[in-house]
Structure formats: C-alpha cells, structure tokens
Amino acid sequence: MKILVLNGPNLNMLGIRQPEIYGKATYEDLKAMIESFVDEEAAQYREGLFGLGHEEEYRTRRIKNAAVEVAANLVEQVRAGAILEGRFEEPFGRGQRIPPVVIDIKDGDGTAKAYIEGKIDRVDFLPGDRVKIIDYKTGDEKFSVNEAEKGYRLQLMLYLEAALGGEKKPAGVFYFHITEPMMNMTGE
C-alpha cells in the first residue's frame, strides 16, 4: 500500500484557477463570509456571551482565524483536485445513493447479513472511475497501515468500500486535520 503525505495548498491561487468551474471566491471573500457568520452566531450564542469581555473576544478571533484557514484550504483542495463530483456528509446504507457494506455472517441457522451504514465526511468522484475519501478530524489521529492490516481503525476503509460499490477504483483515503495553526517556539 502506498501512502502519500499531503501538505497545505498554495493559497495564492484562490479564485484564479478555472473560476467558471471552481468558483471565484478569493481568500478575502472567504474571510469576510466566515467573519460575518461567526459574528452573527456569536451575538446570538448565550445572549452574546462571546462579546462580553476581552477573553471572549479573543476566543472569537481564534475561532474566526481557524475557520478561515480551514475553509481556504478546503476550497483550494477542491479546486486542485480535478473532482467530477464531491459529496459532503454523504450517508451510505440501505435506501441511500451509496449502498451499505454487506457482510455475510454464519450463524446456527445458516447465513445472516450484517449491514454497515454510516456517513462519509467527504467523498470525491474523480476521472477514471476513481473515488477519494476524506475524513475530517479535529484531534491528532493519524492513519496507520499496521493498525488497518490488523483490523483496527477501519473507518476509512469501510467508507471506501461503500463508495466503491464494487464498480469504482480507489484513489485514496485521507484525514483532513482541522486544527488551529500553532507555532513551535521551542526551537525543536
């Protein structure tokens, strides 16, 4: 299995690369939209709690900064990916566009079926009948081939199996870490 590590995109291309397909929003546009949204939500949250003091205003600024950076990275990632169709929060299971993963289980009476159903954070359909799965994480989770081979942490593999539907080819599975940018000041 080949694992690639992807680093942040080149944000200076926001709103420039094929705008007729990927939209024209610039970094400044995204920043203004997100800041407006956060301001509206913060004003309504617990009777304006986030505007009651310097500490709350600081937290609101941090929320805005993290949200802007994550959104800009998401937009650029989509623009850079030659995606034919992207689906967010896509359910898979019985009665859904993406069917469940079905497992035959032998029991005392013969064979029963187990249906694995869920929701995929993002599934991208790419040229060449390829499928890419992206799972958004706010923690420090990392994909481990060793753990996957041993049967642990199979979430991404189950998502991919469902999205392939027996017809498509895998392009990859990825974690997209949603974190607040931090600076290492220790010199390490």
Side-chain angles (χ1 to χ4, degrees):
M1 175 181 283
K2 184 176 183 179
I3 296 178
L4 302 174
V5 176
L6 303 177
N7 293 309
N10 187 356
L11 293 177
N12 68 341
M13 294 301 289
L14 274 174
I16 297 170
R17 182 178 177 263
Q18 292 180 289
E20 68 283 358
I21 297 172
Y22 300 106
K24 299 178 183 180
T26 64
Y27 183 86
E28 290 75 24
D29 296 335
L30 288 172
K31 184 176 180 182
M33 286 187 281
I34 289 168
E35 287 182 350
S36 174
F37 175 79
V38 171
D39 286 341
E40 289 173 22
E41 292 299 313
Q44 296 175 23
Y45 180 75
R46 296 194 178 189
E47 300 177 2
L49 173 70
F50 283 109
L52 295 178
H54 294 296
E55 190 173 328
E56 289 80 11
E57 289 173 3
Y58 169 73
R59 285 189 182 122
T60 303
R61 268 195 318 277
R62 287 181 57 193
I63 290 168
K64 287 178 183 177
N65 290 342
V68 166
E69 293 306 313
V70 167
N73 277 283
L74 286 172
V75 167
E76 189 57 28
Q77 186 183 78
V78 168
R79 288 178 178 164
I83 297 167
L84 301 175
E85 179 183 6
R87 298 182 193 165
F88 298 86
E89 295 292 317
E90 180 68 20
F92 67 96
R94 292 167 287 183
Q96 302 296 332
R97 289 193 291 186
I98 296 177
V101 174
V102 181
I103 299 174
D104 291 324
I105 301 173
K106 293 182 182 178
D107 62 12
D109 298 332
T111 303
K113 293 193 181 296
Y115 298 92
I116 300 174
E117 302 176 325
K119 191 178 285 187
I120 304 169
D121 287 349
R122 185 169 124 208
V123 56
D124 293 341
F125 296 94
L126 309 172
D129 278 335
R130 298 255 180 212
V131 175
K132 175 174 65 175
I133 301 295
I134 298 176
D135 193 40
Y136 300 116
K137 295 292 182 194
T138 55
D140 205 15
E141 189 147 355
K142 293 182 176 35
F143 182 79
S144 165
V145 173
N146 185 38
E147 287 179 354
E149 288 174 340
K150 291 180 180 178
Y152 301 111
R153 294 193 196 191
L154 296 177
Q155 179 185 18
L156 287 172
M157 299 298 114
L158 287 170
Y159 290 170
L160 183 62
E161 180 69 21
L164 292 175
E167 302 170 3
K168 299 191 181 315
K169 296 175 255 179
V173 293
F174 305 92
Y175 286 137
F176 184 99
H177 292 275
I178 299 174
T179 59
E180 183 176 9
M182 296 284 187
M183 185 179 291
N184 182 350
M185 300 301 287
T186 64
E188 297 175 9

